[in-house]
């Protein structure tokens, strides 16, 4: 079975400050990890993914994520937050033996001016 | 690519009525997925197709739900005898050519269903 945990329902950060949105996962095989962002009443937009290789993955809009196998984590980060980054962020995992993604419950990111 | 297209974007229906949603995947994507998302939750997998074959169905997909993908192109998701608990956003997604588990899944804008 594959599962994802996003321990924070909401993250608040001031514009210009660094942000981190946490994600931990559980799989039986090799993990394939994804981050998506959702704006109000919209679908999910792909941000970045980890498949293999470098543990630091860079994605869209200045976001990056760090894969940590020993801690089974894949935290999303950005050095300097923008108000326009305010949205709902989902972490997702796919085990090497599965064809579908399993999502976390999501973390609301609020960036204040 | 024009992205994954879903229609209608919003549907309000009375309990007991049937509804159908359509999804047009990104051109040449051979995998197509349906997910359901309720308020405060992440998307939950319903079913997926590889070309025209429906390869997996979640236990969330009750007998009132049926999905098809004739000719391996667009897909439809039909809900019969709708219930208030069916109110949700139904998301369609498609993935790159090939069966690699690392392939990115791209989502459409979703179809909101409200059952009154």
């Amino acid at each position: 079975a594959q599962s994802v945990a996003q321990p924070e329902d909401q993250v608040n950060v001031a514009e210009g400050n660094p942000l981190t949105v946490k994600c931990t996962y559980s799989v039986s095989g090799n993990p394939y990890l994804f981050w998506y962002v959702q704006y109000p009443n919209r679908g999910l937009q792909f941000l970045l993914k980890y498949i293999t290789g470098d543990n630091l993955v860079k994605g869209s809009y200045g976001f990056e994520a760090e894969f940590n196998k020993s801690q089974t984590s894949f935290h999303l980060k950005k050095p300097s937050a923008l108000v326009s980054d305010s949205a709902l962020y989902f972490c997702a995992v796919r085990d090497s033996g599965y064809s579908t993604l399993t999502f976390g419950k999501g973390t609301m990111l609020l960036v204040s001016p | 690519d024009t992205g994954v297209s879903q229609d209608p974007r919003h549907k309000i229906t009375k309990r007991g009525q049937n509804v159908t949603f359509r999804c047009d995947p990104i051109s040449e994507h051979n995998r197509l997925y349906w997910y359901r998302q309720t308020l405060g939750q992440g998307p939950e997998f319903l079913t997926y197709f590889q070309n025209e074959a429906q390869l997996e169905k979640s236990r969330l997909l009750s007998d009132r739900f049926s999905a098809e993908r004739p000719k391996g192109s667009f897909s439809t998701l039909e809900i019969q005898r709708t219930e208030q608990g069916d109110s949700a956003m139904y998301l369609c997604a498609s993935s790159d050519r090939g069966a690699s588990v690392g392939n990115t899944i791209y989502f459409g804008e979703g179809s909101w269903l409200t059952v009154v």
Side-chain angles (χ1 to χ4, degrees):
Chain A
Q2 53 189 30
S3 65
V4 172
Q6 294 183 243
E8 304 153 316
D9 291 336
Q10 184 168 307
V11 169
N12 297 296
V13 64
E15 187 173 34
N17 284 357
L19 69 88
T20 299
V21 182
K22 296 179 180 177
C23 170
T24 58
Y25 66 90
S26 176
V27 296
S28 55
N30 293 321
Y32 298 87
L33 295 152
F34 300 77
W35 276 101
Y36 288 83
V37 60
Q38 186 176 38
Y39 295 97
N41 300 316
R42 304 294 297 274
L44 275 69
Q45 294 180 27
F46 168 72
L47 278 180
L48 51 81
K49 66 181 178 182
Y50 171 82
I51 304 302
T52 187
D54 194 349
N55 289 341
L56 185 63
V57 178
K58 295 188 182 297
S60 306
Y61 314 119
F63 283 93
E64 57 191 26
E66 187 169 10
F67 171 67
N68 187 317
K69 187 173 183 178
S70 63
Q71 296 185 2
T72 61
S73 67
F74 189 56
H75 301 331
L76 181 69
K77 300 181 179 184
K78 188 175 182 180
S80 178
L82 299 172
V83 172
S84 57
D85 293 331
S86 298
L88 188 56
Y89 289 81
F90 290 99
C91 181
V93 68
R94 182 194 257 159
D95 196 327
S96 54
Y98 284 72
S99 299
T100 63
L101 286 176
T102 296
F103 285 84
K105 290 198 325 179
T107 298
M108 178 63 71
L109 173 66
L110 294 176
V111 181
S112 56
Chain B
D1 286 335
T2 57
V4 178
S5 178
Q6 293 189 242
D7 184 71
R9 291 291 316 282
H10 302 275
K11 179 73 175 178
I12 300 174
T13 191
K14 292 183 178 180
R15 188 177 54 182
Q17 298 294 306
N18 299 343
V19 296
T20 300
F21 300 109
R22 176 184 169 119
C23 171
D24 288 273
I26 294 172
S27 178
E28 297 185 349
H29 277 191
N30 65 346
R31 287 195 169 186
L32 185 147
Y33 307 80
W34 286 100
Y35 280 78
R36 181 176 70 184
Q37 185 181 15
T38 53
L39 285 175
Q41 298 296 321
E44 297 173 294
F45 168 72
L46 292 178
T47 188
Y48 94 93
F49 294 82
Q50 180 158 308
N51 299 314
E52 67 275 9
Q54 189 173 18
L55 295 187
E56 189 174 341
K57 293 193 291 186
S58 161
R59 60 180 179 272
L60 293 176
L61 210 67
S62 75
D63 291 344
R64 296 185 296 104
F65 288 69
S66 63
E68 295 181 342
R69 193 183 183 196
K71 302 179 182 178
S73 56
F74 71 93
S75 175
T76 58
L77 177 68
E78 181 183 19
I79 309 174
Q80 296 182 325
R81 305 181 303 280
T82 53
E83 301 172 356
Q84 287 187 324
D86 297 332
S87 295
M89 182 161 69
Y90 291 85
L91 290 160
C92 179
S94 67
S95 67
D96 305 48
R97 182 185 296 276
S100 167
V101 293
N103 288 347
T104 300
I105 296 179
Y106 296 93
F107 284 81
E109 292 292 316
S111 293
W112 278 104
L113 173 64
T114 301
V115 182
V116 297

